[in-house]
Each structure stands twice: as C-alpha cells, then as structure tokens.
Amino acid sequence: MPDTQKFHFISGLPRSGSTLLAALLRQNPRFYAGMTSPVGGLFGGLLNQFSAGSEYGPMITQAQRRRLLKGLFESYYADEKDRDIIFDTNRMWSAKMPALMDLYPQAKVIACVRNVAWIMDSIEKIYRANPFENTKLYNDDIERNTVYSRVETLAQRNRLVGFAWAALKDAYYGQHAKSLLLIEYDLLAEAPEKVMRLVYEFLGEPWYEHDFNNVQYDAPEFDQALGLDGLHRVRTKVAAQHRKTILPPDLFNQYASLSFWNEDTPSEANVIRVKNSPPVA
C-alpha cells in the first residue's frame, strides 16, 4: 500500500445520504467508498482485547496498539492499493474521533445529517414497504408493535438513530470538530454539484466531474439479511423527493427539533446546511 494513500471517514445519521455520498465519491477513480464496512466492528473488537479486564491488555504497549489498529485499515483495503484515497463508512466513527485523529492526523470525517423526524419517517416508510418481514431493527413484538414503539426503540441511545445522533453530537462539540464536515441530506439532493465542490474543498482534493444523472449503488444481499429491502438502494438521478410524512403529527413534531447543527451554539465543525425554517408534518 503506497505511503501517499490517505484515509478519510464517512459517518453521521442513518437515512441521511451517506450511501448516496459514497456512490458519488466512488465515481472518481482515485477514490474508494462504499456502504458501512466491517472495519468499525473489528476496530471495536480489537479495542476490547486491549483494554482493562482483558488478559492481553497488560502485554500490549501503546505503540503496538496503534500499529495493530492502523494495520487493520491497511490490511482490509490492501486490494485497493491503486486508489489514492479510501473512505471507510461507519456511524461509530463519530464516537471515535480521538482514536482516528491519533492514527491519521490529516484524516477528515464527513457526516451526513437530516432532520431526525424525517429519518424516522424514512425508516418507517421502508418498514411498511416490507409488511411480510420482521426486520432485525427490532428485537421483539413489543418493539415493533406500532409506529410509536418502533420510533421510540430507534431513538434509544444504543440503537440505530439514538446512538448515531449522540455520537455525532459528541464529535460536533469535541476537540477534533475542525476535522468534521456535516452535510444536510436535503441540500445534497437538491444541489449535488455545489455540495460536492465544497466536499472537495474540505478534503483539499482537485475537482472531478461527477455524473449526477447516473449514480449507481445497491446492496440487496445486505438489505435482505436485515429484512429491509431497498435500504441501501440509490436512485439513478440525484434529486429531491418531496412528500408528506407518514408519521402521526405528534410523533413527527417530537423529533423535528433535534437538529443541533442548526443551533447557535459554539462548534468548530464545518456544516453545509439549508437555511430555512424547521420542517413541519
């Protein structure tokens, strides 16, 4: 693997454009990008082996820990040695900024975000499109019984939406926020070239002419295993899709005010966002 190869990371909230962003980035022959990789899980597993309580922890020095964790990325992407830049995707990277910045000080983390109410709406829409499947997003009938129990489950701090939201907020106000770029999904869908030019500027990379009318990405085997067909399918043409929410108004309004990146609070993070009033149901 060439010494000049760079690693960057894609993180953020679910159903907020990370797969679309990866599909666009991978059009550039210099880049590798994809959906969530297993590297994040392997990273966490190695950390558990290093940490207090593990019989191996006292035997592994800090220098060895760094080499092992860095070697994990380099070994997994060894087949992509012809790519100048690797983008690894995982929502957990927002919570691992100190480790990432230690391993790759020049790395950037790009996080896709979206109004949380519309995230819940999007997941619910896909759930209803698979009525004869008990998706693995929910552990039992209590969690999946109604739209209220489903949304409440997803919002828990250790579940799909709640964890990603808390991890991103941690990074947004953390000491490495300068290396973080948040992209609002609505703006990426409405003005993809403008957004992508800002992404290239953030990365310090020369512009590549993307084809926003011929975007290709799908992961049917992964989605079927999860019980949510179409979860990672990207539409061919990048465009905004406007519709009414399928959530009850009280539920939509409960989660519509959680866009902390639009608040007037201090953060060194970079944000590409839409300047308008909060959406309503």
Side-chain angles (χ1 to χ4, degrees):
M1 183 166 292
D3 294 336
T4 56
Q5 191 172 57
K6 299 178 183 177
F7 279 87
H8 295 306
F9 303 89
I10 299 174
S11 187
L13 306 181
R15 305 302 299 161
S16 298
S18 60
T19 305
L20 171 59
L21 175 64
L24 290 170
L25 289 170
R26 65 192 286 126
Q27 288 183 342
N28 189 329
R30 296 181 53 235
F31 297 167
Y32 174 87
M35 59 175 284
T36 301
S37 84
V39 176
L42 296 170
F43 189 96
L46 275 178
L47 279 179
N48 288 336
Q49 293 298 318
F50 299 159
S51 300
S54 167
E55 60 180 309
Y56 304 113
M59 303 168 60
I60 306 175
T61 67
Q62 286 293 99
Q64 289 173 323
R65 295 180 187 203
R66 289 190 183 94
R67 286 199 299 271
L68 286 166
L69 290 169
K70 200 167 185 177
L72 176 62
F73 291 100
E74 294 171 355
S75 296
Y76 184 81
Y77 289 108
D79 294 335
E80 304 298 336
K81 55 183 178 295
D82 59 328
R83 311 283 185 153
D84 295 335
I85 297 179
I86 300 294
F87 294 86
D88 186 83
T89 301
N90 200 299
R91 282 184 286 274
M92 71 171 283
W93 295 137
S94 298
K96 299 296 184 184
M97 292 281 286
L100 294 181
M101 295 301 105
D102 185 286
L103 295 175
Y104 299 104
Q106 304 305 315
K108 305 294 186 182
V109 177
I110 304 174
C112 296
V113 298
R114 189 181 191 181
N115 184 282
V116 177
W118 282 110
I119 292 174
M120 297 300 192
D121 173 280
S122 180
I123 297 172
E124 180 66 17
K125 183 174 181 289
I126 294 178
Y127 174 84
R128 296 184 187 188
N130 294 271
F132 306 115
E133 179 70 67
N134 281 337
T135 171
K136 290 185 179 180
L137 284 183
Y138 311 106
N139 293 330
D140 52 40
D141 288 339
I142 294 175
E143 292 185 353
R144 71 172 64 90
N145 270 338
T146 71
V147 63
Y148 288 92
S149 62
R150 291 192 291 272
V151 169
E152 181 181 353
T153 295
L154 295 173
Q156 294 176 28
R157 291 295 172 89
N158 64 338
R159 302 300 283 270
L160 180 66
V161 180
F163 165 74
W165 182 87
L168 183 58
K169 194 171 186 179
D170 182 359
Y172 185 78
Y173 293 109
Q175 72 269 38
H176 300 292
K178 282 184 178 180
S179 299
L180 177 67
L181 172 67
L182 274 63
I183 301 174
E184 280 202 336
Y185 171 76
D186 291 340
L187 194 54
L188 177 60
E190 292 173 2
E193 181 171 343
K194 290 182 180 179
V195 170
M196 291 303 293
R197 285 187 178 276
L198 291 172
V199 169
Y200 274 77
E201 183 179 330
F202 176 69
L203 297 172
E205 296 296 330
W207 173 245
Y208 176 84
E209 289 294 337
H210 291 271
D211 186 351
F212 301 106
N213 295 313
N214 187 27
V215 183
Q216 298 178 0
Y217 200 91
D218 198 4
E221 296 85 0
F222 181 89
D223 294 350
Q224 289 167 10
L226 190 60
L228 282 177
D229 181 56
L231 186 65
H232 290 91
R233 185 177 303 130
V234 173
R235 288 186 295 269
T236 302
K237 181 178 180 179
V238 182
Q241 302 288 319
H242 300 288
R243 61 177 177 81
K244 293 183 178 180
T245 181
I246 60 174
L247 298 182
D250 59 331
L251 203 56
F252 186 95
N253 293 330
Q254 180 181 347
Y255 291 95
S257 60
L258 298 179
S259 301
F260 57 83
W261 55 90
N262 287 328
E263 297 173 0
D264 187 19
T265 50
S267 171
E268 293 184 304
N270 306 272
V271 185
I272 303 174
R273 60 189 164 202
V274 179
K275 293 183 179 180
N276 57 11
S277 57
V280 294

